[in-house]
Amino acid sequence: MSRPRIVIVGAGFAGYRTARTLSRLTRHQADITLLNPTDYFLYLPLLPQVAAGILEPRRVSVSLSGTLPHVRLVLGEADGVDLDGHTVHYTGPEGEEGTLPFDRLVLAAGSVNKLLPIPGVAEHAHGFRGLPEALYLRDHVTRQVELAAAADDRAECAARCTFVVVGAGYTGTEVAAHGAMYTDAQVRKHPMRTGMRPRWMLLDVAPRVMPEMDERLSRTAERVLRQRGVDVRMGTSVKEATHDGVVLTDGSTVDTRTLVWCVGVRPDPLVESLGLPMERGRLLVDPHLQVPGRPELFACGDVAAVPDLNQPGQYTPMTAQHAWRHGKVCAQNVAASLGIGERRAYRHRDMGFVVDLGGAKAAANPLGLPMSGPAAGAVTRGYHLAAMPGNRVRVAADWLLDAVLPRQAVQLGLVRSWSVPLESSSPEVARVPGSPKRPGKATGPAGQRPDGEEAGTHPGGEPARNHPGGEPAKGQPGGEPAKNEPSGEPAKGQPGGEPAKEQPGGEPAKNQPGGEPAKNQPGGEPAGSRSHGGRAKGGQSGSPRASGKPRRAVEAAGPRPARGGSGKPGKAPRASGAGSAGKRPAAPSGPSRSAGPPTDPGPEPPANQPPPGPDIAPGPVKRTDGRAAEGDS
């Protein structure tokens, strides 16, 4: 008799705890598969310390294969669930598709950034939900302080060293607290020429900081923030985000190049496609974390509306503490459904909350006892060390080194602005040129424009300029083609004498059949993955996916130019360097594969084309608007 198959979607707090507990309970009596887009479990509460340079990224990421040896790991993102067929459809990191059959399914997909219909936010703001966003923010803040220190103009210096954080919850408060300490340390070593200092602003429509916590702890956190010079404005939010700053709801304008969006999260849109009863975007479950009428389906974490037995009529909030406990109870009930052990209802006891404010400062109420100052800091860090499923010694070592050594404020340049758009439904994965988008997970009403376009695009289908306070570097997706190539202009050797417009960072190819631009360029949409302007969800239109493989969609739209020297059609041009702004046009080594009659090959390259050579970045991008190509060169 075959062993039962258990599939767990998501490896956050709930999914990771479910997999670890099930592996211990079943003892090889079941096949456990964990589907997750990354190969690590991310300890989110310490993410602000990664952005502030205290911890390295690997310290807060725990290896799944290393800590779950009896669980099969499948890299991919679920985009459709067939409950009647007992299968989960997913898309792998390279665009490959697959299905996972199951006898028991646990949905623990977590949450994504919550967008509000505020003009300009999707284009100019960045979230804070994953490692790529934390690494981008660290580089971006470092770059802004360095550029401000070298600026002679006071207005430019003030805009670059002003950082606006929207959302005064746990995440926003910690980001502002750690960020103020990080920038102050930079300026202490290299004072600004204009004599100015970095300015951090924390905005929220709530009446106080962290309204979900005890009022005494809220006052403690606000006092620490104000002591560090953070401009805390309660009852105020962003009315509009522009190229050069933000307009606040009180009518004032703040010049800034940095807008961090920490307003909140919403459940992963995957559960919406199931057609089951929902509660404010979360899947309704019983106290045993089982979906009524579906004995094979369980849900836990942020995607599940779990009844709070201590407060009848209420549901447990979307916090890491509850998700971690959900995972243990869910694993016990899944095992009980297979005849191993007994079922139990989810009932919790509030153990309190901790908020790390950087340095020796924190706000905590363990077991309901309010604490502040160094004692709260010690309790907070001790709690994090106890709660982490791994890397405890490494995290403690980094804390010790940070206490005795200065921080290293350097730009690594590994994550670009366009790699972490706010509208992304996968904040844990950085977007790269040619990567497939998620057809099965729509951004939802909050992340779409009224005309059906994605919130990260401008009217007319142009890619969004989502670089906070600045235009994207030329040659990046969404920007203009880089014009500092060896020939000085984009390649014009294509049939018809038009520039090559299907290179990464250039305009979409306009010579496709039907005259429509190709939407499968980096930062755009995969061709054929939308229906009537909206991204389809798994489980709709009669199939779990709206179209075929996203990476193959370009082949249906029209032919592509040959990759330089490869001689293989249908492959996307290779980006030079690690996300470099300047992209070198593909040098043809044979007959042209573009639409139209092929040209005769010859010893000389076509007009205005650089000679064939290695695919390397030519150097920094030269802008024409008088500004530096900020960080993306």
Side-chain angles (χ1 to χ4, degrees), residues 137-324:
L137 181 62
R138 178 175 171 178
D139 275 1
H140 176 76
V141 170
T142 304
R143 177 169 60 251
Q144 295 305 312
V145 173
E146 291 171 348
L147 292 175
D152 293 324
D153 181 59
R154 290 186 62 86
E156 179 186 358
C157 180
R160 290 194 180 279
C161 63
T162 298
F163 308 95
V164 179
V165 181
V166 185
Y170 294 105
T171 302
T173 301
E174 291 186 345
V175 167
H178 283 281
M181 292 186 64
Y182 180 62
T183 54
D184 285 345
Q186 284 185 268
V187 176
R188 197 176 301 120
K189 296 179 184 178
H190 304 286
M192 297 186 181
R193 303 168 71 178
T194 58
M196 305 185 68
R197 296 189 62 81
R199 174 193 181 195
W200 284 79
M201 297 182 64
L202 181 62
L203 312 176
D204 203 311
V205 294
R208 57 187 176 90
V209 174
M210 293 187 299
E212 62 274 9
M213 290 190 68
D214 183 82
E215 189 173 353
R216 288 172 293 181
L217 297 180
S218 176
R219 289 197 301 265
T220 298
E222 184 172 350
R223 182 175 65 251
V224 172
L225 291 173
R226 294 190 184 278
Q227 288 174 352
R228 293 181 182 168
V230 178
D231 185 1
V232 181
R233 298 191 185 185
M234 294 293 98
T236 306
S237 187
V238 173
K239 181 179 180 181
E240 180 183 1
T242 64
H243 178 78
D244 298 317
V246 293
V247 179
L248 305 184
T249 53
D250 59 6
S252 60
T253 301
V254 178
D255 294 335
T256 181
R257 304 295 173 84
T258 307
L259 181 58
V260 186
W261 192 256
C262 302
V263 169
V265 295
R266 62 188 181 91
D268 193 292
L270 173 67
V271 297
E272 298 177 3
S273 64
L274 300 179
L276 298 175
M278 310 285 290
E279 170 63 29
R280 300 184 65 179
R282 295 195 285 174
L283 195 62
L284 276 174
V285 298
D286 60 22
H288 301 91
L289 306 179
Q290 194 169 22
V291 177
R294 289 286 180 177
E296 77 284 1
L297 181 59
F298 297 78
C300 54
D302 290 349
V303 299
V306 182
D308 190 342
L309 299 182
N310 295 330
Q311 300 180 18
Q314 302 293 324
Y315 298 94
T316 58
M318 298 168 59
T319 63
Q321 186 179 111
H322 281 290
W324 187 251

Side-chain angles (χ1 to χ4, degrees), residues 337-559:
S337 70
L338 300 176
I340 304 172
E342 296 181 357
R343 293 204 313 167
R344 56 170 292 193
Y346 178 74
R347 188 183 298 272
H348 71 93
R349 179 189 176 194
D350 190 1
M351 303 294 292
F353 296 94
V354 295
V355 179
D356 187 1
L357 300 176
K361 302 295 181 67
N365 61 343
L367 301 177
L369 178 63
M371 301 178 64
S372 61
V379 169
T380 298
R381 295 202 169 185
Y383 168 80
H384 287 316
L385 285 180
M388 288 194 68
N391 297 344
R392 296 188 181 95
V393 175
R394 298 179 187 273
V395 169
D398 275 4
W399 283 341
L400 177 62
L401 291 176
D402 180 71
V404 298
L405 296 176
R407 298 184 193 175
Q408 296 175 306
V410 295
Q411 303 178 52
L412 300 180
L414 301 178
V415 182
R416 304 301 189 197
S417 171
W418 51 266
S419 298
V420 285
L422 181 62
E423 49 77 25
S424 174
S425 57
S426 295
E428 66 274 12
V429 180
R431 184 173 298 176
V432 297
S435 64
K437 296 185 71 176
R438 303 176 68 185
K441 284 196 178 183
T443 307
Q448 287 184 346
R449 300 176 59 90
D451 55 2
E453 293 182 2
E454 194 171 343
T457 58
H458 289 293
E462 297 180 3
R465 298 179 178 180
N466 56 354
H467 197 288
E471 298 180 359
K474 295 179 180 181
Q476 295 289 348
E480 300 176 7
K483 296 186 179 181
N484 60 338
E485 305 295 341
S487 62
E489 294 290 331
K492 297 183 179 180
Q494 305 297 333
E498 294 294 326
K501 296 182 178 179
E502 60 268 56
Q503 302 295 340
E507 299 179 2
K510 297 181 179 179
N511 56 349
Q512 305 294 343
E516 295 294 329
K519 295 185 178 179
N520 58 332
Q521 303 300 332
E525 306 168 6
S529 64
R530 285 185 177 264
S531 176
H532 303 290
R535 188 168 23 170
K537 269 184 198 161
Q540 295 179 353
S541 302
S543 65
R545 288 179 62 87
S547 65
K549 297 184 179 181
R551 295 172 63 91
R552 306 293 186 226
V554 64
E555 298 176 12

